[in-house]
């Protein structure tokens, strides 16, 4: 197989969480362009006619949409049982769904902590376990988590988010340690400051925005398109010997 052919995903089925907008929508677009059919899920995703569905269909691939609030444990299990009935084989899991709630640590309420940890970490583990066990049984599969710069750093005013993304990094390595020998690759992408809804507050703050841009060697906010190459790589045969990696796509932030 030629090197470029190793990046093709023809015949694969990819489940992308948090796919309605931002990075998740970009992931769905990229995987479809590489040849995969897409299962998409977000809390408010239209089950038919969504923009991400149109993106995928325009690239000649199939799309199936689901709505699920990952903060609701019962709803999550209902979704998992349904999607596994509908798709007995899922080749790729992109654990991207996430949320962020900002408040200083001394004022950060239990409700913020519980919601962020549930969506960003607990739901990610449950999905990886329930979809991953089928991959382990087949001896093949790819799982990619969305980590963060705050997998490595503490951040400001987001203690629950930082804790959740630190946990995602450790979970990536823990699952890779168990499943690499079973033919399942578990890795993560750590996006830098990407222009999405989650960073709208920062981009609207002239002081914070200027400070952030001053530290990014690339000199700009990232875009969802900047992550497309990384997601295709980690989901492809080209990454077969990559296990437990947390790949920064950050414009050079962590190297500063």
């Amino acid at each position: 197989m030629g090197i470029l052919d190793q990046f093709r995903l023809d015949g694969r089925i990819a489940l992308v969480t948090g796919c309605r907008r931002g990075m998740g929508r970009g992931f769905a677009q990229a995987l479809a362009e590489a040849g995969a059919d897409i299962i998409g899920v977000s809390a408010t995703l239209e089950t038919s006619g969504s923009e991400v569905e149109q993106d995928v269909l325009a690239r000649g691939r199939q799309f199936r949409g689901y709505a699920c609030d990952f903060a609701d444990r019962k709803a999550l299990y209902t979704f998992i049982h349904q999607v596994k009935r509908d798709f007995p084989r899922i080749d790729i899991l992109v654990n991207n769904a996430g949320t962020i709630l900002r408040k200083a640590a001394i004022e950060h309420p239990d409700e913020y902590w519980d919601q962020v940890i549930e969506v960003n970490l607990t739901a990610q583990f449950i999905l990886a376990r329930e979809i991953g066990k089928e991959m382990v049984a087949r001896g093949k599969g790819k799982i990619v988590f969305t980590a963060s710069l705050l997998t490595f750093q503490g951040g400001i005013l987001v203690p629950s988010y930082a804790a959740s993304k630190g946990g995602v990094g450790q979970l990536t390595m823990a699952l890779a340690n168990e499943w690499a020998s079973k033919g399942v690759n578990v890795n993560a992408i750590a996006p830098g400051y990407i222009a999405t809804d989650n960073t709208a507050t920062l981009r609207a703050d002239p002081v914070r925005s200027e400070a952030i841009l001053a530290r990014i060697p690339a000199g700009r906010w990232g875009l969802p398109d900047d992550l497309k190459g990384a997601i295709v790589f980690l989901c492809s045969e080209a990454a077969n010997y990559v296990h437990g990696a947390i790949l920064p796509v950050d414009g050079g932030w962590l190297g500063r």
Side-chain angles (χ1 to χ4, degrees):
M1 182 184 295
I3 184 60
L4 294 181
D5 293 330
Q6 292 183 34
F7 288 84
R8 293 297 307 171
L9 301 175
D10 301 293
R12 312 289 171 79
I13 298 173
L15 170 55
V16 182
T17 74
C19 71
R20 183 172 177 269
R21 58 193 180 188
M23 294 186 296
R25 183 177 174 185
F27 290 154
Q29 293 169 349
L31 296 177
E33 192 166 334
D37 293 324
I38 306 298
I39 307 164
V41 59
S42 289
T44 59
L45 181 67
E46 305 90 336
T47 55
S48 179
S50 66
E51 291 182 345
V52 67
E53 178 178 0
Q54 295 173 40
D55 294 340
V56 171
L57 295 179
R59 288 162 171 80
R61 308 313 309 165
Q62 298 180 31
F63 181 88
R64 178 74 173 270
Y66 297 83
C68 180
D69 180 0
F70 286 3
D72 182 337
R73 186 83 60 90
K74 183 178 179 180
L76 174 63
Y77 275 107
T78 298
F79 162 70
I80 291 171
H81 294 152
Q82 183 63 55
V83 79
K84 289 175 74 172
R85 282 195 297 268
D86 294 342
F87 295 91
R89 190 193 88 243
I90 296 173
D91 303 294
I92 296 164
L93 170 63
V94 179
N95 253 331
N96 169 72
T99 190
I100 188 167
L101 295 171
R102 302 176 188 277
K103 195 174 281 287
I106 60 173
E107 301 171 348
H108 209 79
D110 290 354
E111 293 77 12
Y112 277 25
W113 179 272
D114 291 344
Q115 181 178 342
V116 172
I117 296 296
E118 186 72 24
V119 172
N120 292 7
L121 185 57
T122 304
Q124 310 305 314
F125 169 67
I126 292 171
L127 273 164
R129 182 189 66 204
E130 296 303 311
I131 302 300
K133 66 175 63 174
E134 309 296 341
M135 295 178 175
V136 168
R138 291 195 306 273
K140 189 172 185 178
K142 306 284 185 182
I143 298 175
V144 181
F145 290 92
T146 297
S148 169
L149 293 180
L150 299 197
T151 300
F152 309 99
Q153 300 174 325
I156 300 171
L157 304 179
V158 288
S160 55
Y161 183 83
S164 71
K165 291 301 185 176
V168 164
Q170 293 300 114
L171 180 58
T172 298
M173 293 183 284
L175 296 181
N177 288 341
E178 293 193 33
W179 294 348
S181 64
K182 312 297 183 183
V184 179
N185 298 76
V186 184
N187 295 290
I189 295 173
Y193 285 91
I194 308 297
T196 65
D197 290 350
N198 274 0
T199 60
T201 300
L202 294 177
R203 287 181 286 119
D205 182 331
V207 175
R208 290 295 309 282
S209 181
E210 182 179 355
I212 288 167
L213 282 173
R215 176 169 168 165
I216 301 173
R220 64 173 177 85
W221 289 79
L223 300 171
D225 281 357
D226 292 317
L227 303 167
K228 288 182 175 181
I231 193 66
V232 170
F233 166 60
L234 290 176
C235 293
S236 75
E237 299 295 314
N240 279 352
Y241 199 59
V242 181
H243 295 278
I246 304 171
L247 174 61
V249 184
D250 64 353
W253 176 279
L254 289 175
R256 190 65 174 249

